[in-house]
């Protein structure tokens, strides 16, 4: 068998375009709880509480409760501990990163025509999502090598010229797959044997959103706000899949008469001599890499009414965000054999990396907010947010590029429901806070189940006699999901994500 294909046929039949999918659209549609330490400590339930720079990214009407100017900066140390469970084996990985949370500048002034009314302008930068984390899963397989998945897909194609250039064709190029005369493929990894398998998922990046905001207070009773949001996306994902013949159960040995013996279950009668002389499978590494960068645009409208000295009610609406994104990407495979395990055979597609431009349209968001003020000593915030993830879309200059993906999104995802609850006790000069936020699954589950996110927070603040203040917040975030490794095999891992953050805000009023 020749490893070289006819060039014309290769170009015509095996051209491959890196494919974005529904996960890309949903990834940028699920905001976290980002903002000042006070905002985060109260679970983000600030839609009707107001008077915090973070309101610009959620309910901008809350900015109208400012009576003077303010500037603040917020950051945090984030510890992640992620666990992957597969083949009855758990693997945990911990990591520590510094995270920017928020910068806010607000200026407020009384209306010239009505001293009981006010205006406010704000410039803020808020981290809505942080993607940093590493997850690993590892164990001996139960008849589920990646080569079994690749062989199944190759058999569906039936010939070498239509193999997926970023997946099973990489195995063909590295001698792990061989085409047979009857239109099927053979694998040098004995797919009936157990191999030591691990997969590492490494992600990094963030979504930071700049907001330019205006808010108006009418007689300190009705409040309106408007924000123009410009989110900036940076996201990098590296998926690395390892397999090795950990028990050395796939050997080929030559006899004195130039015949060979093998420990392969089915032997190697149909494999090319090139395979036999490699003396059996040793290990492989398959890598998927992509990096996404870009920016977006949205509009936020908010309203708030002071019903009385105790109750405030509000609501906000966020238009869909349109993101203009570009991806750089490649897939690669490296295969090592017993004859010379330190000299693996490598293949990469695209050879010099690929590039693709597209757009993502996230769903609109609608929220109802409430706040209860108790004798100026305590405040309780409660709000509900609705996001229909089925309205997310991928877009390009050619409508048919994403017609299938958008149909999957429409049929697969449902309305998500988010709840935020927070409380603050004011014991001057100290303030104590607690909060809880539940972000429902994009499949409709709330409070329990996969993809539901839980945030628990505690905070403390100090208000000095001067114009400065200092806040601390502790946050625990938990979520879990099922992760399927392959297309044609029901190989499922359980992923559990845990993040603990300790954040601080320093601010000055002027």
């Amino acid at each position: 068998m020749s490893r070289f294909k006819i060039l014309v046929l290769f170009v015509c039949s095996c051209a491959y375009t890196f494919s974005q999918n529904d996960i890309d659209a949903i990834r940028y549609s699920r905001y976290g709880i980002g903002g000042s330490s006070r905002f985060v400590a109260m679970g983000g339930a600030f839609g009707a509480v107001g008077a915090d720079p973070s309101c610009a990214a959620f309910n901008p009407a809350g900015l109208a409760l400012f009576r003077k100017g303010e500037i603040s900066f917020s950051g945090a140390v984030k510890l992640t501990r992620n666990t992957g469970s597969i083949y009855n084996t758990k693997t945990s990985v911990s990591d520590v990163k510094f995270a920017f949370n928020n910068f806010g500048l607000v200026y407020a002034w009384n209306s010239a025509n009505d001293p009981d009314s006010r205006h406010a302008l704000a410039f803020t930068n808020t981290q809505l999502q942080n993607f940093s984390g590493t997850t690993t899963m590892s164990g001996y397989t139960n008849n589920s090598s990646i080569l079994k998945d690749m062989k199944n897909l190759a058999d569906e194609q039936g010939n070498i010229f239509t193999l997926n250039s970023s997946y099973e064709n990489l195995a063909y190029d590295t001698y792990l797959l061989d085409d047979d005369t009857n239109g099927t493929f053979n694998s040098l990894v004995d797919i009936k044997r157990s191999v030591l398998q691990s997969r590492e998922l490494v992600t990094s990046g963030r979504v930071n959103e700049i907001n330019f905001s205006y808010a108006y207070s009418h007689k300190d009773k009705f409040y309106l706000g408007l924000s123009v949001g410009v989110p900036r996306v940076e996201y990098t994902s590296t998926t690395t899949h390892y397999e090795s013949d950990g028990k050395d159960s796939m050997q080929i040995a030559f006899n004195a008469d130039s015949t060979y013996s093998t420990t392969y279950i089915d032997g190697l009668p149909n494999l090319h001599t090139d395979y036999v002389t490699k003396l059996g499978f040793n290990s492989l590494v398959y890598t998927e890499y992509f990096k996404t960068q870009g920016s977006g645009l949205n509009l936020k409208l908010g309203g708030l009414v002071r019903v009385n000295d105790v109750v405030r009610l509000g609501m906000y609406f966020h238009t869909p965000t349109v993101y203009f994104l570009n991806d750089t990407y490649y897939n690669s495979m490296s295969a090592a054999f017993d004859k010379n395990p330190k000299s693996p055979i490598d293949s990469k597609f695209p050879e010099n990396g690929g590039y693709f431009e597209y757009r993502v349209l996230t769903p609109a968001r609608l929220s109802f907010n409430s706040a209860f003020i108790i004798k100026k000593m305590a405040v309780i915030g409660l709000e509900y947010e609705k996001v229909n993830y089925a309205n997310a879309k991928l877009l390009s200059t050619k409508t048919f590029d994403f017609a299938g993906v958008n149909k999957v999104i429409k049929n697969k995802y449902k309305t998500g429901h988010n709840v935020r609850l927070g409380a603050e006790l004011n014991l001057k000069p100290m303030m104590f806070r607690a909060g809880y936020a539940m972000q429902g699954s994009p499949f409709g589950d709330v409070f329990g189940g996969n993809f539901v996110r839980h945030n628990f927070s505690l905070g403390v603040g100090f208000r000095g006699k001067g114009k400065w203040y200092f806040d601390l917040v502790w946050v625990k975030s938990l979520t879990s999901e099922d992760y399927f490794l392959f297309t044609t095999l029901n190989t499922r891992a359980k992923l559990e994500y845990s993040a603990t953050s300790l954040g601080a805000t320093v601010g000055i009023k002027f």
Side-chain angles (χ1 to χ4, degrees):
M1 177 195 66
S2 173
R3 292 281 100 183
F4 300 99
K5 304 173 185 177
I6 300 173
L7 180 60
V8 175
L9 288 176
F10 179 79
V11 172
C12 295
S13 302
C14 293
Y16 175 76
T17 301
F18 178 77
S19 59
Q20 289 69 29
N21 54 42
D22 57 295
I23 297 174
D24 296 289
I26 302 304
R27 178 186 303 116
Y28 306 117
S29 301
R30 303 190 75 195
Y31 293 167
I33 305 298
S36 70
S37 296
R38 185 186 180 207
F39 181 89
V40 175
M42 292 182 62
F46 251 82
V49 176
D52 189 279
S54 309
C55 294
F58 295 87
N59 187 351
L63 298 170
L65 276 85
F66 274 99
R67 296 180 178 275
K68 55 182 66 176
E70 182 174 316
I71 185 171
S72 64
F73 178 84
S74 307
V77 175
K78 181 181 179 182
L79 168 66
T80 59
R81 182 174 175 81
N82 299 336
T83 301
S85 302
I86 194 170
Y87 309 124
N88 299 316
T89 303
K90 284 189 175 184
T91 306
S92 297
V93 180
S94 298
D95 196 11
V96 179
K97 300 284 187 181
F98 172 79
F100 162 81
N101 279 347
N102 179 259
F103 169 80
L105 175 62
V106 182
Y107 178 69
W109 70 98
N110 292 332
S111 174
N113 299 325
D114 183 0
D116 292 329
S117 299
R118 293 187 305 279
H119 305 269
L121 289 174
F123 170 80
T124 63
N125 188 353
T126 303
Q127 186 161 114
L128 299 178
Q129 294 175 281
N130 187 298
F131 300 116
S132 295
T134 300
T135 307
T136 299
M137 59 209 82
S138 181
Y140 275 94
T141 66
N142 180 19
N143 194 26
S144 54
S145 166
I146 190 174
L147 260 296
K148 184 174 183 179
D149 188 48
M150 290 180 166
K151 172 177 161 48
N152 290 343
L153 293 170
D155 287 345
E156 290 178 4
Q157 296 300 318
N159 66 80
I160 61 175
F161 301 111
T162 56
L163 298 181
N164 185 329
S165 299
S166 69
Y167 194 56
E168 62 265 22
N169 188 69
L170 295 174
Y172 178 86
D173 284 345
T174 54
Y175 288 84
L176 291 170
L177 279 183
D178 183 23
D179 58 322
D180 206 343
T181 55
N182 59 4
T184 60
F185 285 77
N186 294 311
S187 164
L188 194 61
V189 176
D190 192 334
I191 58 178
K192 294 184 179 180
R193 289 185 183 270
S194 178
V195 295
L196 181 59
Q197 182 183 89
S198 64
R199 181 170 290 201
E200 183 181 62
L201 313 174
V202 180
T203 57
S204 62
R206 64 204 61 84
V207 176
N208 287 355
E209 183 176 78
I210 293 175
N211 277 280
F212 304 91
S213 308
Y214 168 76
Y216 173 70
S217 166
H218 179 67
K219 297 189 180 300
D220 218 18
K221 183 176 178 65
F222 300 100
Y223 310 86
L224 297 173
L226 168 70
S227 283
V228 177
V230 183
R232 174 69 185 175
V233 173
E234 291 185 12
Y235 178 77
T236 301
S237 172
T238 305
T239 300
T240 309
H241 182 94
Y242 307 87
E243 287 188 7
S244 66
D245 185 13
K247 299 177 180 179
D248 200 19
S249 61
M250 288 173 268
Q251 301 177 9
I252 300 173
F254 277 96
N255 304 318
D257 59 357
S258 296
T259 62
Y260 66 88
S261 61
T262 176
T263 58
Y264 279 72
I265 292 177
D266 293 334
L268 299 171
N270 298 317
L271 291 185
H272 191 271
T273 306
D274 285 347
Y275 284 98
V276 176
T277 57
K278 293 183 186 305
L279 305 185
F281 168 73
N282 182 276
S283 62
L284 67 84
V285 181
Y286 170 73
T287 302
E288 297 176 348
Y289 169 88
F290 72 94
K291 182 176 183 178
T292 303
Q293 293 180 303
S295 57
L297 185 67
N298 61 51
L299 187 67
K300 303 176 181 69
L301 303 171
L304 179 61
V305 59
R306 187 190 300 269
V307 178
N308 51 47
D309 290 340
V310 176
V311 179
R312 298 176 196 164
L313 299 177
M315 66 178 295
Y316 64 75
F317 173 77
H318 296 183
T319 67
T321 299
V322 56
Y323 284 104
F324 301 87
L325 304 177
N326 62 78
D327 284 358
T328 54
Y329 61 91
Y330 69 83
N331 290 13
S332 67
M333 181 164 256
S334 176
F337 302 93
D338 288 341
K339 182 178 181 180
N340 195 355
K342 294 184 179 179
S343 298
I345 301 172
D346 301 317
S347 182
K348 179 182 177 181
F349 182 84
E351 185 175 351
N352 297 315
Y355 179 85
F356 187 72
E357 293 183 349
Y358 61 107
R359 302 189 304 278
V360 169
L361 190 69
T362 69
R365 316 172 79 86
L366 178 65
S367 178
F368 300 95
N369 324 130
S370 62
F372 306 91
I373 294 83
I374 305 171
K375 297 182 179 180
K376 296 184 179 181
M377 289 186 59
V379 60
I380 298 173
L382 174 64
E383 55 191 63
Y384 163 78
E385 184 181 63
K386 176 182 178 181
V387 186
N388 188 352
Y389 295 103
N391 290 335
K393 289 182 174 64
L394 293 177
L395 306 169
S396 77
T397 55
K398 299 177 181 178
T399 304
F400 59 82
D401 280 354
F402 296 122
V405 174
N406 290 332
K407 185 176 180 180
V408 169
I409 294 172
K410 199 73 176 177
N411 295 331
K412 182 176 179 180
Y413 295 98
K414 299 180 180 179
T415 298
H417 307 277
N418 305 326
V419 175
R420 298 188 279 266
L421 173 66
E424 178 180 73
L425 180 62
N426 188 353
L427 300 177
K428 296 181 180 180
M430 303 295 292
M431 308 177 80
F432 300 91
R433 307 177 182 111
Y436 168 72
M438 185 284 302
Q439 185 179 53
S441 161
F443 303 104
D445 293 334
V446 294
F447 293 105
N450 288 330
F451 301 99
V452 176
R453 298 175 180 172
H454 303 274
N455 285 348
F456 306 89
S457 52
L458 295 172
V460 60
F462 180 80
R463 298 297 185 264
K465 293 182 180 180
K467 297 181 179 181
W468 64 274
Y469 64 87
F470 180 72
D471 295 321
L472 287 172
V473 61
W474 170 90
V475 185
K476 184 73 170 181
S477 302
L478 301 170
T479 188
S480 64
E481 63 183 66
D482 289 333
Y483 177 84
F484 290 87
L485 279 72
F486 308 118
T487 302
T488 65
L489 308 178
N490 189 30
T491 305
R492 177 171 56 183
K494 182 73 171 181
L495 308 184
E496 297 173 299
Y497 302 102
S498 174
T500 304
S501 298
L502 182 62
T505 297
V506 176
I508 299 175
K509 298 180 182 293
F510 58 88

